[in-house]
Amino acid sequence: MNLRILGAHGNEAKGSRLTSLLLDDVLAVDAGGLTASLTLAEQEKIRAVLLSHHHFDHTRDLVTLGFNAALWDGRVKVYALRETLDVVIPCLLDGKIYANLREYPSKERATLQFETIEPYKEKDIEGYRVLALPVKHSVPTVGYHIASPRGGKLFYTSDTGPGLAECWRHVSPDLVICESFLPDSMTERAGRVGHLSPRLLKEELVQFRQLKGYLPRVIVIHLALSHEREVGQEIARIAGELEGDISLGCEDMEVAL
Ligand SMILES: [Zn+2]
Ligand SMILES: [Zn+2]
C-alpha cells in the first residue's frame, strides 16, 4: 500500500490543507484537502471516498470532486455512516450552495454515488478490506482499518477523544494514523471536545501495546496550525518515552506499507 497524506491539518492556511488521505491513488479517506492536493489526472483515478464523519474539515472537497468528475464522466462511490450522509447531503450537496451533486450532471449519471457503511462489518471496497469502528468524537464518527490488496494495513482514527481500547481489539495495523489536535496544556479541553493531546495519545498507545503486544508506527495528523510546534515537541517526547516510531505527518508525505 502506498499512503499519501494530502491534508494533515484541522485548519487551513497557505501551505496547509484539511484532513485527507489517499491510498494507492484510488481510495481516498476523508476529503478535506482532496481536490486541492491533486491534479485533474490524479483525481480521475479516485474510485471511492470513505468519510469518517460530517465535519467540514473532512468533507469539503467532496463538492469539488463531484463537480470535477463530470469532466471525465466519472463515478465515485462515497461511503459513510448513515448519520454522516444525513448531514453532508442536505448541507453540502443538494444544490443549495452549489450544483445538486445527487443529480449532477444528470439524475441517471450522477458522479457521486452514496453507500452507507455499518460499524464492525468488514466490507470489500475496490478490493480493500475495510472495517469501520466507532471512535469518541463530538459527532458520530468512525475510524477505518484498511487492508490493501497490495499488502499493508493501516488504522486511521480520524478525530477522536480518549477511549480507543475497543477499537484496538479489532485492528492489527502496520501503521496508525491518528490525531493530536491540541497540546498537553489544553488536555482537559481536548478530551471534552473529542480530541487528543499528546499526553492522552500516549495513554491510548500504552493500552494498544498492552492489548496487542506491539506498537506500530504512528503518524500524527489533524494538527492545529497555532499549536503545531508545541504538539511536535510533545510527540517527540512521548516517542522517546515509549521508544516508538511516532512522528508528525505533513502534506504530501508518502509512506509505503
Ligand atoms: Zn477534524
Ligand atoms: Zn471532527
Side-chain angles (χ1 to χ4, degrees):
M1 180 193 300
N2 185 68
L3 161 71
R4 230 171 124 180
I5 297 176
L6 303 179
H9 286 81
N11 59 340
E12 185 182 70
K14 185 175 181 179
S16 72
R17 292 191 293 265
L18 299 175
T19 299
S20 186
L21 310 175
L22 185 63
L23 309 182
D24 302 325
D25 299 328
V26 297
L27 181 63
V29 186
D30 278 341
L34 185 56
T35 53
S37 308
L38 300 172
T39 65
L40 279 180
E42 289 171 323
Q43 292 174 38
E44 191 172 347
K45 294 179 183 169
I46 296 172
R47 295 283 164 266
V49 180
L50 311 179
L51 297 179
S52 64
H53 65 303
H54 70 244
H55 280 158
F56 191 64
D57 55 322
H58 299 252
T59 56
R60 184 185 68 183
D61 282 6
L62 204 56
V63 179
T64 40
L65 179 67
F67 193 75
N68 284 347
L71 297 173
W72 52 87
D73 195 27
R75 303 285 175 280
V76 180
K77 295 283 284 276
V78 179
Y79 296 87
L81 292 172
R82 180 78 263 158
E83 295 94 322
T84 301
L85 294 179
D86 283 348
V87 176
V88 169
I89 291 174
C91 290
L92 278 183
L93 306 174
D94 74 348
K96 286 195 200 72
I97 61 170
Y98 200 40
N100 181 351
L101 290 161
R102 290 175 309 173
E103 303 179 359
Y104 182 82
S106 68
K107 202 169 190 174
E108 295 71 32
R109 297 187 67 77
T111 56
L112 298 182
Q113 302 179 339
F114 303 95
E115 193 166 321
T116 57
I117 49 111
E118 288 185 45
Y120 301 111
K121 285 192 178 171
E122 191 174 86
K123 192 175 180 69
D124 184 305
I125 296 176
E126 304 295 330
Y128 293 79
R129 284 185 290 119
V130 175
L131 180 65
L133 296 167
V135 297
K136 315 275 185 184
H137 193 37
S138 54
V139 299
T141 303
V142 287
Y144 286 106
H145 187 259
I146 303 169
S148 169
R150 298 168 57 177
K153 293 178 285 185
L154 72 78
F155 181 61
Y156 164 61
T157 66
S158 187
D159 292 4
T160 185
L164 290 168
E166 183 57 26
C167 287
W168 298 154
R169 290 190 176 89
H170 295 270
V171 302
S172 55
D174 307 309
L175 171 67
V176 171
I177 304 283
C178 65
E179 71 128 288
S180 188
F181 191 53
L182 296 171
D184 282 345
S185 59
M186 301 170 77
T187 290
E188 188 276 330
R189 178 174 159 192
R192 186 160 36 84
V193 297
H195 287 293
L196 294 173
S197 67
R199 174 145 48 95
L200 294 172
L201 174 60
K202 181 185 172 186
E203 291 169 14
E204 301 300 322
L205 296 177
V206 166
Q207 282 192 332
F208 185 105
R209 187 149 65 187
Q210 284 170 351
L211 283 164
K212 310 300 287 192
Y214 75 106
L215 190 60
R217 181 177 178 185
V218 177
I219 296 177
V220 179
I221 63 168
H222 200 271
L223 305 167
L225 286 164
S226 49
H227 302 298
E228 189 168 347
R229 182 187 296 248
E230 201 177 346
V231 166
Q233 291 166 348
E234 291 164 355
I235 290 294
R237 197 190 65 238
I238 71 165
E241 290 167 358
L242 295 177
E243 298 181 344
D245 184 351
I246 307 166
S247 58
L248 294 193
C250 62
E251 277 73 15
D252 299 320
M253 180 178 184
E254 293 198 39
V255 180
L257 291 175

